[in-house]
Amino acid sequence: PTDKPTDKPTDKPTHKPTSEPAPKPTPKPTRSPSKEPTDKPTLNPTPAPTHSPSKEPVNNPYCGDSVCDADEDPATCRSDCTISIFKTKDNADSSTVGQMLTLKATRDLTVFSFDMMGKKKGTCKVYTRAGDYKGHENNASSWNSAFDEYVSMKEHEPSALRLDPPVAISVGSTQAFYIWCEK
């Protein structure tokens, strides 16, 4: 070993490092951190920490494929799962207890929730079935439960009825829903 740097690289490192830092960064990182703080800051320091945690990384390789898959929703993959809003003709002050409707999908879609307006607290239920509701209005065995919870409603304010699990409807298919809330 020599006490001074050589003109060409050697096969073996020196026993002691040089006393002064190199004029520019080395091409590769060192294998171990420095033992004591250095007198000079790094050339590219890391940014300051944020005040709130970052969102969980999305590890879904299908997010962004224009299809809202069963494991995606507007919170986890907004590019595939757009939020669409439609309104019925009834108003919150009517004496209606329930609504039956049929959706025909012009593209693959997933129904995550319905917003309902009412006047008081009570149980709400959402039933669904493949196809149209017509001809099945009075046949309970034709329907599957998608929501059954106690909901605190306020007059003229929507309350979300989140379906569990969400209902996927393929392009060209129809899906009926019956939404009922006690008076």
Side-chain angles (χ1 to χ4, degrees):
T2 63
D3 290 333
K4 296 183 179 182
T6 59
D7 292 333
K8 295 180 181 177
T10 60
D11 293 336
K12 296 180 182 177
T14 60
H15 290 289
K16 306 194 284 190
T18 57
S19 57
E20 292 185 29
K24 56 184 179 179
T26 58
K28 292 183 181 177
T30 59
R31 293 189 185 268
S32 60
S34 54
K35 292 182 182 177
E36 295 179 18
T38 59
D39 293 333
K40 296 180 181 179
T42 60
L43 295 175
N44 296 313
T46 59
T50 59
H51 293 285
S52 59
S54 59
K55 292 182 179 179
E56 185 176 334
V58 177
N59 294 324
N60 182 348
Y62 301 107
C63 184
D65 65 356
S66 300
V67 176
C68 187
D69 296 302
D71 60 341
E72 297 173 337
D73 61 44
T76 62
C77 188
R78 184 112 183 161
S79 64
D80 292 350
C81 304
T82 57
I83 298 173
S84 299
I85 298 172
F86 64 92
K87 293 182 179 183
T88 63
K89 293 181 183 177
D90 286 344
N91 65 46
D93 295 330
S94 72
S95 60
T96 302
V97 177
Q99 273 284 254
M100 285 190 179
L101 60 120
T102 299
L103 300 178
K104 180 168 180 147
T106 57
R107 62 182 172 89
D108 288 343
L109 63 97
T110 303
V111 178
F112 294 96
S113 67
F114 288 99
D115 284 351
M116 295 298 292
M117 288 197 281
K119 295 182 180 181
K120 62 181 188 171
K121 302 173 183 178
T123 300
C124 286
K125 298 181 181 194
V126 178
Y127 299 95
T128 188
R129 67 174 309 280
D132 200 336
Y133 72 86
K134 292 177 183 171
H136 300 274
E137 296 92 337
N138 297 313
N139 186 354
S141 65
S142 294
W143 298 88
N144 298 308
S145 178
F147 180 90
D148 184 355
E149 289 184 25
Y150 184 81
V151 178
S152 179
M153 290 197 203
K154 292 182 182 174
E155 191 169 2
H156 303 295
E157 287 186 30
S159 296
L161 311 180
R162 300 194 193 292
L163 307 186
D164 186 25
V167 178
I169 310 170
S170 300
V171 64
S173 298
T174 56
Q175 188 77 24
F177 293 91
Y178 173 37
I179 306 164
W180 175 89
C181 294
E182 63 186 346
K183 283 190 171 186

